[in-house]
Amino acid sequence: MATYAIGDLQGCFKELQQLLNTIQFNPAQDKLWLVGDLVNRGPDSLATLRWVKEMGDSVIAVLGNHDLSLLVVAGGFAPPHRNDTIQDILEAPDREELLHWLRHQRLLHVENNFAMVHAGLLPQWSIEQAQTLAHEVESALRSEHHLEFVGQMYGNKPIKWKDSHKGIDRLRIITNAMTRMRFCTPKGEMDFDYKGKPDNPPEGYLPWFQIPDRASADTTIICGHWSALGLRLEKNFMALDSGCLWGGELSAVRLEDRQVFQIPCQGLPGSKRWK
């Protein structure tokens, strides 16, 4: 039995199947951990979402910002972006079943000293606190009143965590940190504008995983989201978005021994891999 963590799929279903053949994935024995952004921008979001759902307990997926964006658009709270490729899901006969399944996925998964989240964790959050906070958002998404949250999910404020946050402000900042964050200050103030490489951060900011003395540093964080960061494996950090959508690679890491498996991706027409 092996556990493989795989970077952002974003509807790149063909590449996913090629990678699964490479690692000889056996759903009866092995486990897949998917770091979120299952859908959008790639060519086969519907096929990807259906396949992950059908895999049942052999796959653990956390929610990414593109997955949540699908819920916002499906709820009628925002139009699709110009480059979105989710219309096949919105028009599918099993649309409601797929959206219901997606709403019931996790924001954070913790197991065997690994913690998987799409984007990151604020420096003040221990793993235990992050689990509690993730459950708050998961409960809101799974509720029969979930549209009340989904309709107010978008927004950049508040940008700094306080334990006293309540209501939609509290849910939004948890969601933004775990699905959108790249840079923050040592005090946990997030920046959502700059999406480039980590060696040229906005003044006063650092990549979230480089904040000194962050409370989650004793656990290996597995994430995606940041294609400009690329594949990056450190003692307590694994970034797996190696830019498949942009003509990079789709990457898998076997957690038992950290062996890396990759396949080249064609990427979108006219796309260039991050350099």
Side-chain angles (χ1 to χ4, degrees), residues 94-253:
D94 52 345
R95 159 192 163 129
E96 295 307 318
E97 182 181 346
L98 292 169
L99 295 176
H100 180 272
W101 176 86
L102 192 63
R103 286 195 295 109
H104 285 73
Q105 300 316 297
R106 314 169 198 211
L107 210 60
L108 174 69
H109 176 66
V110 179
E111 184 178 339
N112 296 334
N113 207 42
F114 293 104
M116 179 172 63
V117 65
H118 180 62
L121 300 179
L122 286 170
Q124 303 98 319
W125 294 347
S126 67
I127 294 298
E128 292 75 18
Q129 183 181 10
Q131 285 181 284
T132 299
L133 298 176
H135 288 158
E136 293 182 28
V137 175
E138 292 162 2
S139 295
L141 286 171
R142 297 169 185 177
S143 165
E144 62 180 11
H145 304 294
H146 64 277
L147 291 178
E148 296 177 9
F149 169 48
V150 172
Q152 301 179 77
M153 187 186 301
Y154 276 165
N156 292 343
K157 294 181 179 180
I159 59 173
K160 183 178 179 182
W161 174 254
K162 296 179 181 179
D163 289 336
S164 59
H165 281 314
K166 296 180 180 179
I168 187 60
D169 282 350
R170 184 178 179 91
L171 294 177
R172 186 186 292 130
I173 193 171
I174 297 167
T175 304
N176 281 342
M178 293 191 185
T179 67
R180 296 180 60 206
M181 178 174 62
R182 294 180 179 90
F183 295 96
C184 67
T185 68
K187 293 184 178 181
E189 182 175 318
M190 293 180 283
D191 173 85
F192 297 116
D193 294 326
Y194 183 69
K195 301 179 180 180
K197 293 188 176 183
D199 53 0
N200 188 29
E203 185 176 356
Y205 291 80
L206 289 170
W208 68 267
F209 56 89
Q210 292 181 352
I211 298 293
D213 301 318
R214 62 179 171 88
S216 58
D218 290 339
T219 300
T220 298
I221 308 295
I222 302 170
C223 66
H225 183 56
W226 198 345
S227 57
L229 182 61
L231 179 69
R232 185 162 178 164
L233 305 182
E234 301 179 2
K235 181 180 179 181
N236 63 352
F237 177 68
M238 297 184 183
L240 303 184
D241 185 359
S242 45
C244 180
L245 186 68
W246 308 109
E249 295 85 24
L250 186 61
S251 301
V253 176

Side-chain angles (χ1 to χ4, degrees), residues 4-132:
Y4 299 92
I6 296 181
D8 301 38
L9 300 177
Q10 295 196 240
C12 296
F13 185 65
K14 180 183 72 174
E15 289 85 352
L16 170 62
Q17 296 304 308
Q18 292 172 348
L19 183 57
L20 294 177
N21 288 334
T22 297
I23 64 177
Q24 299 182 342
F25 173 67
N26 181 350
Q29 297 180 352
D30 302 328
K31 292 282 188 181
L32 286 186
W33 289 17
L34 303 178
V35 300
D37 279 2
L38 304 178
V39 302
N40 206 14
R41 303 296 170 89
D44 295 305
S45 290
L46 178 58
T48 302
L49 194 57
R50 282 174 171 165
W51 184 88
V52 176
K53 177 180 176 293
E54 290 169 1
M55 286 297 98
D57 292 340
S58 63
V59 174
I60 294 172
V62 295
L63 293 166
N65 55 298
H66 281 286
D67 307 315
L68 295 176
S69 178
L70 169 60
L71 296 177
V72 172
V73 174
F77 300 109
H81 292 289
R82 180 171 57 89
N83 296 322
D84 283 353
T85 58
I86 55 175
Q87 196 63 32
D88 54 350
I89 299 174
L90 298 176
E91 296 177 355
D94 52 345
R95 159 192 163 129
E96 295 307 318
E97 182 181 346
L98 292 169
L99 295 176
H100 180 272
W101 176 86
L102 192 63
R103 286 195 295 109
H104 285 73
Q105 300 316 297
R106 314 169 198 211
L107 210 60
L108 174 69
H109 176 66
V110 179
E111 184 178 339
N112 296 334
N113 207 42
F114 293 104
M116 179 172 63
V117 65
H118 180 62
L121 300 179
L122 286 170
Q124 303 98 319
W125 294 347
S126 67
I127 294 298
E128 292 75 18
Q129 183 181 10
Q131 285 181 284
T132 299

